[in-house]
Amino acid sequence: MSDDATEKAPSYFSQYFLCQLKRASDAGQDPSTAIRTLYIDRDPVTFKDISLHLQGYHVRPRDATHFVRLFADAQFYSLPKLISQLYEEPIHITIGSTPFQIPRDIFSLSGPGNTPNFFTLGFAIFFSNPEDLFPGLDREGLIRPPSIVPPSVPNRSAEVFEELLHMLRGYPVRIRDETHRQELLRDCRYFNFKRLEQTLIPHEKGFNQARGREEIVLRLRDILKSGISVVNEPVVGGDPLAGWVNYARPYVDDKAMELVLEVGDDEGTRLHFGPGGKEVRAEFFRDTKTRVAKLFEVVATKLNLPSSTQPLGLLMAKGGRSSEPPTPGHTPLSEDFVRVMLDPEASITLDGQPWTPPDDSFNQNTYPLPAHEETTINTPGTTTIPAVPSVPSVPSSAGGPLTAESPLEISNLSTCPFTPPQQQTSPAEENPRKRRRLDSNPPPFGVATVPTSPLGGEGWIVKTGQWRLRIQSVTTKNPNNPNPAKASVECCLVAVKLDALSSERRRNERRGFLGG
């Protein structure tokens, strides 16, 4: 057996036989009889491929097990050419129970953001510099190389990974349903395909002709701080600090677009109306509250504002930044209740019915609060309590489309207060509701009550809402919560589309039974 002419010497074989020849020459022995047979305790099947390589044939790994055996024996026999060849071979790995061959250039050709990833980092022993494949290993006196387990990821789905590879090659994959999308996203995050993840998250891009700008709709949980920016939009004679929060998906979008933020699916938002509806605020709960607070912190950073309203000394005395509960009120851009602007062009669904403010009420810049039916309980000591508010309906003569605003007129939203509409009744409902006679026992447990607002007005539960984020100057300070650390600007939520409920009863009406 002879080494391939292109294989760098000394290999295991050449070194062995050169030593034998030198020893025979020094002893004056005949080399044909002095050289002893070389016995190697290695796999004979793999050695056939090693022999083919030394004869000049190209050897291609068949699977992950064959790859690691060739890899280990190339180290044992000191065959640098074979090592370099294996370094350039596709990545052999088993996902679930299915073997895969992944081209090494697929990550770089698919665009920035998909590398480094699980393969280039988690299996760096196979994909690192071929000159240092076993860092820290003393090869002098090495009897055999260390054992190597074939790379595998048994806890992931081979079918999902096949679809991810299909997308990395540039082909589209049809998303069958939301469950399918979440499976793809979960494995994208597992393998650290960041660019691919951004293309898979639910989004909608388009050009808004009414506003004259590009828009992108994203869910709150999918927002990354690296994609947030603030575009200043001062109005002549108006607010010089006015602006809108924009967003560009990292690694995917080449320019930022106006952000329409979708918040919902967990009923984490409640709208509070002040007396007369002249002020509207949003209160957030649970994870939604945390995410909104973190989003406001990032926006404040983009505006070169401090991320917290607490003095540094007091903050450290309390245990640092992490000791503060995540709430919008701990950011310089808002109070705990975030200011809300209900755009007259917003699509609002209340209790399953579309709601449109009457044109005449809008011209007066005020809407009367919704009227509630009253139910009288005929018991000793009669008490009158308000019933659950009915769904407001608007006559066709009053529900026509409103005139679209130009982009520069949006800044005047803060001067147009909102009040929920007055309930419209049909002629069939003009008669008062019949009174129900109840016994003297207390009302049954769980009777729904009309939601009340800390601001003194009504309250709506927002199931899902889409909002624009507007930056504007603070016109008035909240006298109930003065905070000198608050900035002179604030972040307001401008409604785009809302699905809201007016009471617990309306919420229960939309429930479904588990049996279908």
Side-chain angles (χ1 to χ4, degrees):
M1 178 183 298
S2 61
D3 288 349
D4 181 10
T6 59
E7 190 69 69
K8 294 181 180 180
S11 68
Y12 180 89
F13 309 104
S14 61
Q15 183 70 19
Y16 175 81
F17 291 110
L18 283 174
C19 290
Q20 292 289 316
L21 290 173
K22 187 176 183 302
R23 185 178 303 172
S25 177
D26 294 342
Q29 298 175 349
D30 183 7
S32 62
T33 58
I35 297 179
R36 294 177 296 178
T37 303
L38 175 62
Y39 293 93
I40 306 173
D41 186 18
R42 302 300 294 167
D43 178 38
V45 177
T46 306
F47 188 77
K48 291 181 179 179
D49 295 314
I50 298 294
S51 177
L52 289 173
H53 166 74
L54 293 175
Q55 294 171 16
Y57 294 100
H58 181 80
V59 179
R60 182 179 297 275
R62 294 183 292 272
D63 51 35
T65 301
H66 188 214
F67 176 85
V68 296
R69 289 183 177 179
L70 279 175
F71 182 86
D73 281 3
Q75 286 289 305
F76 180 80
Y77 298 126
S78 298
L79 303 176
K81 182 186 174 184
L82 181 56
I83 295 173
S84 298
Q85 176 188 320
L86 294 175
Y87 177 74
E88 307 232 348
E89 286 289 327
I91 300 171
H92 291 262
I93 191 169
T94 302
I95 306 293
S97 58
T98 305
F100 286 90
Q101 296 185 21
I102 308 171
R104 292 180 182 271
D105 58 355
I106 192 173
F107 305 121
S108 57
L109 294 179
S110 61
N114 290 326
T115 184
N117 53 51
F118 178 86
F119 304 98
T120 60
L121 295 177
F123 292 95
I125 185 174
F126 298 116
F127 316 130
S128 60
N129 190 320
E131 301 297 330
D132 191 20
L133 293 173
F134 294 113
L137 180 64
D138 184 11
R139 304 191 183 206
E140 293 295 332
L142 181 65
I143 299 178
R144 59 178 56 89
S147 60
I148 305 174
V149 178
S152 64
V153 188
N155 59 339
R156 312 313 294 180
S157 168
E159 292 77 12
V160 174
F161 186 74
E162 179 64 39
E163 292 180 309
L164 295 181
L165 278 184
H166 196 62
M167 297 184 69
L168 287 173
R169 295 186 181 104
Y171 295 97
V173 171
R174 185 178 65 87
I175 306 298
R176 296 187 293 272
D177 49 36
E178 187 60 26
T179 301
H180 182 214
R181 184 191 299 275
Q182 292 305 317
E183 290 176 351
L184 294 172
L185 283 172
R186 182 168 56 249
D187 279 10
C188 268
R189 298 183 180 109
Y190 183 88
F191 295 115
N192 203 37
F193 298 150
K194 294 182 179 180
R195 177 186 176 90
L196 194 56
E197 176 190 355
Q198 291 300 308
T199 61
L200 283 171
I201 60 175
H203 68 281
E204 182 178 332
K205 296 196 304 182
F207 181 77
N208 188 330
Q209 293 186 359
R211 296 176 59 81
R213 66 195 68 185
E214 298 282 345
E215 290 182 340
I216 182 169
V217 184
L218 284 170
R219 293 174 180 173
L220 176 61
R221 63 172 176 265
D222 295 325
I223 297 296
L224 299 178
K225 63 180 181 180
S226 59
I228 298 174
S229 61
V230 178
V231 177
N232 187 251
E233 189 184 43
V235 181
V236 177
D239 187 357
L241 301 179
W244 300 91
V245 174
N246 283 229
Y247 190 81
R249 290 173 298 166
Y251 310 111
V252 177
D253 297 326
D254 54 356
K255 64 178 181 179
M257 295 159 281
E258 188 171 272
L259 175 63
V260 177
L261 188 67
E262 183 171 311
V263 182
D265 296 335
D266 59 352
E267 296 185 9
T269 309
R270 179 186 287 269
L271 293 185
H272 299 291
F273 298 98
K278 295 183 178 180
E279 183 178 15
V280 186
R281 296 275 179 166
E283 181 182 8
F284 299 102
F285 303 90
R286 300 182 301 278
D287 292 342
T288 302
K289 184 176 183 179
T290 302
R291 291 190 175 105
V292 170
K294 292 184 180 298
L295 174 60
F296 282 11
E297 289 177 2
V298 175
V299 174
T301 303
K302 301 295 182 179
L303 296 172
N304 296 322
L305 299 174
S307 60
S308 174
T309 59
Q310 294 286 344
L312 181 60
L314 179 60
L315 189 63
M316 297 304 295
K318 292 181 177 180
R321 182 72 180 87
S322 60
S323 64
E324 282 192 311
T327 174
H330 285 162
T331 68
L333 292 178
S334 177
E335 305 292 344
D336 283 340
F337 289 3
V338 182
R339 187 182 300 276
V340 169
M341 300 178 185
L342 295 184
D343 190 339
E345 294 293 334
S347 172
I348 300 177
T349 301
L350 182 62
D351 297 330
Q353 298 294 329
W355 172 84
T356 304
D359 290 340
D360 54 351
S361 297
F362 173 69
N363 293 334
Q364 299 174 3
N365 289 340
T366 180
Y367 310 139
L369 286 170
H372 302 302
E373 297 175 351
E374 291 187 353
T375 301
T376 302
I377 303 177
N378 294 330
T379 56
T382 300
T383 305
T384 302
I385 62 172
V388 178
S390 300
V391 178
S393 59
V394 181
S396 59
S397 59
L402 300 178
T403 303
E405 291 181 293
S406 64
L408 297 181
E409 293 173 347
I410 300 298
S411 62
N412 296 326
L413 287 173
S414 59
T415 61
C416 180
F418 168 83
T419 308
Q422 186 175 5
Q423 174 190 354
Q424 305 291 332
T425 57
S426 61
E429 296 175 341
E430 292 179 355
N431 294 331
R433 187 176 178 179
K434 294 183 180 181
R435 298 180 178 181
R436 293 184 302 165
R437 295 187 60 86
L438 303 178
D439 53 24
S440 58
N441 294 328
F445 176 76
V447 173
T449 58
V450 177
T452 58
S453 166
L455 302 183
E458 299 295 329
W460 286 0
I461 301 172
V462 180
K463 293 182 66 65
T464 307
Q466 291 182 350
W467 312 86
R468 292 187 180 93
L469 277 68
R470 173 176 168 82
I471 306 299
Q472 67 178 22
S473 300
V474 177
T475 56
T476 57
K477 291 285 186 178
N478 185 357
N480 298 326
N481 189 17
N483 191 342
K486 292 293 181 183
S488 58
V489 295
E490 65 178 350
C491 186
C492 306
L493 301 179
V494 181
V496 176
K497 186 173 184 178
L498 302 180
D499 181 12
L501 301 172
S502 62
S503 67
E504 177 69 12
R505 176 182 175 184
R506 298 302 183 187
R507 182 181 184 275
N508 291 337
E509 288 175 353
R510 298 178 65 167
R511 286 180 182 269
F513 293 102
L514 297 180

